[in-house]
């Protein structure tokens, strides 16, 4: 059933959706990693596609930037289209000395300065965490390929251009692996509406070292991140089938 934000018909989405922020990155992922691809949404140019990966039906859809945008799409995918697994695949900025540009970070949890999860949790702190099975299977897929990953806490920021730059030092001291803008919202939506979620990011810049990838690499790169994410989903399928 179409929503105000998604024109897809019943059955157009697979039960698993990859969610990059950029809709053009969604198109690139679909064209590069999936077979038999069909575009299922163009509303607001928030492109969505469904295809197959090694015979497994998978969808990919842009989420837009920030928790409010992602939360709309994630909620509607779960409640209106029956999506069971959502994986954010995107970029993040590093603050720790041992996290470098191009590293792959798996968000086991996500802190945030947004109030969305407190709003859904009666004003209390909500531990926004990834699904353990998805996390484990993605880590295992990376290990099998010999791909280094770092697993831990992300920080989902409301502001990209924050006025509180000193806070990055606090994040560094408390071990935050990457700063991005969506994971905590995704984990909250998944918890509320009964889906499973994960965030996998490639480090696109180091905030404290002033190092960054160019815009084209952000859009079309990150191939290793995509491969371990997709292989992790297949591992998760195998376990669910047992």
């Amino acid at each position: 059933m179409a929503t105000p934000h998604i024109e897809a018909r019943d059955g157009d989405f697979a039960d698993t959706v990859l969610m990059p922020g950029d809709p053009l990155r969604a198109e690139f992922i679909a064209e590069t990693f999936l077979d038999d691809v069909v575009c299922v949404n163009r509303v607001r140019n928030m492109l969505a596609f469904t295809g197959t990966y090694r015979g497994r039906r998978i969808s990919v859809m842009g989420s837009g930037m920030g928790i409010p945008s992602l939360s709309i799409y994630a909620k509607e995918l779960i409640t209106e289209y029956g999506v069971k697994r959502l994986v954010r695949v995107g970029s993040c900025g590093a603050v720790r000395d041992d996290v470098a540009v191009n590293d792959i970070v798996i968000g086991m949890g996500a802190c945030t300065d947004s109030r969305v999860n407190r709003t859904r949790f009666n004003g209390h702190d909500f531990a926004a965490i990834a699904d353990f099975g998805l996390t484990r299977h993605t880590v295992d897929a990376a290990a099998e390929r010999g791909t280094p990953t770092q697993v831990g806490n992300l920080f989902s920021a409301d502001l990209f251009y924050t006025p509180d730059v000193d806070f990055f030092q606090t994040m560094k001291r408390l071990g935050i692996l990457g700063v991005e803008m969506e994971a905590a919202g995704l984990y909250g939506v998944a918890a509320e509406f009964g889906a499973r979620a994960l965030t996998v990011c490639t480090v696109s810049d180091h905030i404290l070292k002033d190092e960054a990838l160019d815009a084209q690499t952000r859009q079309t790169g990150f191939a290793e991140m995509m491969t371990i994410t997709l292989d992790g989903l297949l591992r998760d399928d195998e376990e669910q089938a047992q």
Side-chain angles (χ1 to χ4, degrees), residues 23 93 158 206 224:
D158 262 353
H206 199 292
E224 192 64 20

Side-chain angles (χ1 to χ4, degrees), residues 122-135:
N122 291 344
H124 305 299
D125 289 339
F126 175 81
I129 57 172
D131 178 81
F132 174 73
L134 291 176
T135 304

Side-chain angles (χ1 to χ4, degrees), residues 67 112-121 123-124 158:
I67 287 174
T112 186
D113 54 3
S114 169
R115 290 189 58 83
V116 293
N117 287 333
R118 284 194 170 195
T119 298
R120 61 170 45 96
F121 203 51
H124 305 299
D158 262 353

Side-chain angles (χ1 to χ4, degrees), residues 129-169:
I129 57 172
D131 178 81
F132 174 73
L134 291 176
T135 304
R136 174 165 54 87
H137 292 132
T138 304
V139 171
D140 288 347
E144 184 173 285
R145 288 179 57 84
T147 302
T149 59
Q150 300 210 47
V151 185
N153 229 343
L154 298 170
F155 184 88
S156 301
D158 262 353
L159 291 177
F160 186 87
Y161 297 108
T162 177
D164 187 11
V165 295
D166 292 338
F167 189 40
F168 292 128
Q169 294 293 341

Side-chain angles (χ1 to χ4, degrees), residues 45-111:
N45 289 321
M46 194 57 73
L47 303 174
F49 305 87
T50 297
T52 61
Y53 178 75
R54 298 187 185 175
R56 209 292 183 191
R57 195 163 179 258
I58 288 178
S59 297
V60 53
M61 181 178 189
S63 69
M65 290 186 288
I67 287 174
S69 180
L70 176 138
S71 295
I72 291 171
Y73 294 111
K75 188 273 182 190
E76 291 182 356
L77 287 170
I78 297 166
T79 62
E80 306 304 318
Y81 292 96
V83 172
K84 303 298 183 186
R85 300 186 300 189
L86 302 99
V87 182
R88 164 164 156 69
V89 283
S91 59
C92 67
V95 292
R96 278 172 38 172
D97 293 336
D98 61 341
V99 182
V101 171
N102 271 327
D103 282 359
I104 296 174
V105 170
I106 297 173
M108 186 165 56
C111 311

